[in-house]
Amino acid sequence: MIIVPLGVASATPTATRHLSSVAVWRDGSVFLFDCGENAQMRMLQGGLKRSQIDHIFISHFDTDHYSGLIGLLSTLQLQRRDRKITLVGPEGLSEFIEWNFEFSNIDLNYEIEFVELSEDFEEERVVDEEEYYIEARPLNHSKFCIGYRLQEKDRPGKVDAEKAQEQGISEDWQYKDLKAGKDVELEDGTVVKSADIVGHPRPGDSFAYITDTKYCPNSVKLAKNTNVLIHEATFSDSLSDKAEETGHSTAKDAARVANEAKTKLLVITHFSARYTNEYVLLREARDDFFPTWVATELRPIFTDPAHEKGIIQPKVYIKEINQGNKKDDNKRSKKKRSKRTKRSKGKKKRRMRKRKNSPSQKSRRSRSSSSRKSGSSRSRRSNNNNNDNGGGDNSNERKPKQITPRTPFDDFDRF
Amino acid sequence: MIIVPLGVASATPTATRHLSSVAVWRDGSVFLFDCGENAQMRMLQGGLKRSQIDHIFISHFDTDHYSGLIGLLSTLQLQRRDRKITLVGPEGLSEFIEWNFEFSNIDLNYEIEFVELSEDFEEERVVDEEEYYIEARPLNHSKFCIGYRLQEKDRPGKVDAEKAQEQGISEDWQYKDLKAGKDVELEDGTVVKSADIVGHPRPGDSFAYITDTKYCPNSVKLAKNTNVLIHEATFSDSLSDKAEETGHSTAKDAARVANEAKTKLLVITHFSARYTNEYVLLREARDDFFPTWVATELRPIFTDPAHEKGIIQPKVYIKEINQGNKKDDNKRSKKKRSKRTKRSKGKKKRRMRKRKNSPSQKSRRSRSSSSRKSGSSRSRRSNNNNNDNGGGDNSNERKPKQITPRTPFDDFDRF
């Protein structure tokens, strides 16, 4: 999943911060969490297609969290959308949408499915699909407010095909059974155990969105073991009274939730306009929970750094590129990856060399560094395809055996 | 008046164009014409204070023209506004505001005065103040839509004080009478004629805002002899069928209105997203009406270039600055103008020189050029004060007698 904060302001926009909204890209579909004013334009600016939105989740009815909704839905109408969209939020959401579209005389040409939660709900799976589900729980704000968790379901372990063949597995149904956890009896009576062939189930990715709220147990439940938790941190600790009074969190509250929930990465957002430098809040949160970062508008967060493989060259490579002989090839591999995979390696290498009249090394270097910078904007679109390749088309000798563990934020300079 | 386009897109925002909105700054008060999504943030980015808004005019109820209204009014609420605001628009405006605030549970702490126009109105002065009035007329769009004209009332001519004293005028009431157009009889029986002492009445500034509409006679009436006309130009001439069908104007339609109305400057806006280069539309409009410009977001348009005097140094000065000896003084005069007027010129000059340890000429030059660039953002705020000074505190020998006539767009590089 790729998480793109579209707006990080609280209550009122500043000259540089938009109102609350977070887009989550997952496998070609976009989930929007809250929809502050101008979210539709921020999506465009972040390289996300508005037509890819399938679900919108509204936390509560403070104008800064839903004021972009009518504009966005109108744009989808103008784009002649005909696919259904699902809107999840507190009771009254359908009334709001319907009243406003009637006022503006818009007759929607696509279906909106409303999932409305009443104030007394305790926990609900508001969306449940084959590969993921979304859980909602009430939070503790001055008005009824909902937190969300997007959880991918665990995928079965990988089948070790070589081992399976060795043990005599050949039919499709046998593979299926093994994958499903069943042992398979061969014709000669040997039993092939699923546990021997199939690896551990791969845990699904997870993300929680918690705003606006004071500290509350439901936040911890929603954020439990998530890969990324986006949590509001409206105030610094010195204004904890104000946070308590207005039903908001301080940076320390956010860190507390992250600590108790054992989330892997905490991203704080929803900054009060008084903090022109949001790193004040970051410092406070980091004191209690180190893997914290500030949400930066339009700066994507990868829930799993492995997703970046093949999209953005890890820094470890760069050194090697500049030292070794094969730098040209390695750089070009990024540009032409999709074409490459269809051809055999040897042939392609030669072809690529012919195409350019061997410019000087210096100019090559400068070109490659600029392409590295712009890589991220392409990344979101091509991620899906490249994931399948797993970056495996780099020739083996250039691939470091161990890549230094990185947070998603280590290459700050990629923009 | 200073006109700042906040958004120039039609229907749906692009990555670089916001939805329709134009702010007009006049004598410390801001008039907002339409309020597309994110207008409140664009104001901030343009250096306009949201607290200065006194009037908002909505042309019609297509979402792209009013979707920023609730967000803006909510922000004024958070800013603890207590001054009245006037909202002008089609019938239903008050219902829209009230329903949405009730939905969000906001109890406004400032008064909104609604001026709502019904579909059958023909012409109305919706605001009438001592110094200016605002006229509204219906336009010809697919739904009920209103065009506006902001007109300053003519001011009486300037009194020639020297001539008056020569003829024996000394009392205040005599000046008043002369200004009001009455002749004054002195004690010795001489009659001093008002026409001899008082100049021609000075015509008021004017601005018209016309969107969305096909060509219609009311547009011409609204734009008659205006200094600046902002007119929509959604389509190019090749799509005139589409313009007709959707109730919009082509660039040529805008030029036609400007021609018939004899406006001084036409600014086209409301560009369809299909025109990534809006200069295509500019060329078409200029063919028919030369003084046309494209609305550029956040780029201020001065209805009267004289207003820029003392705010932004005209280019004619710059040459002199670089040649003559008095350059430092001239540059600093801009920075410290307000302080300067209170002191005697000689003293101050020396003081300023002492303060800095005479840096090299080169560094002075570079500093001054950077301050010139940032001048425009300060300009809007300080305009009011500086107008009174009339730039008159520059020593006389440096003031060119005739400044080359300039359009408001001649110093494109001031940003």
Side-chain angles (χ1 to χ4, degrees), chain B residues 257-310:
Chain B
V257 171
N259 255 324
E260 293 180 11
K262 296 199 173 72
T263 186
K264 292 205 184 68
L265 179 73
L266 165 66
V267 181
I268 53 172
T269 184
H270 203 264
F271 312 118
S272 162
R274 54 168 69 68
Y275 304 105
T276 47
N277 182 355
E278 57 266 27
Y279 290 84
V280 173
L281 301 166
L282 176 67
R283 208 189 309 132
E284 285 192 9
R286 278 212 170 160
D287 279 348
D288 292 356
F289 186 77
F290 184 73
T292 302
W293 204 255
V294 283
T296 306
E297 289 187 14
L298 303 192
R299 184 170 207 299
I301 301 158
F302 291 75
T303 48
D304 178 3
H307 279 186
E308 291 186 75
K309 260 193 231 169

Side-chain angles (χ1 to χ4, degrees), chain A residues 336-345 348 393:
Chain A
K336 307 276 176 178
R337 179 150 296 164
S338 55
K339 282 185 189 172
R340 240 189 189 202
T341 51
K342 288 170 196 163
R343 302 177 199 162
S344 77
K345 278 176 203 171
K348 167 219 50 207
D393 50 27

Side-chain angles (χ1 to χ4, degrees), chain B residues 73-89:
Chain B
L73 296 176
S74 304
T75 291
L76 297 183
Q77 166 87 356
L78 286 168
Q79 288 178 341
R80 298 200 179 79
R81 183 187 178 102
D82 50 12
R83 227 168 64 248
K84 190 187 77 174
I85 193 168
T86 305
L87 261 64
V88 183

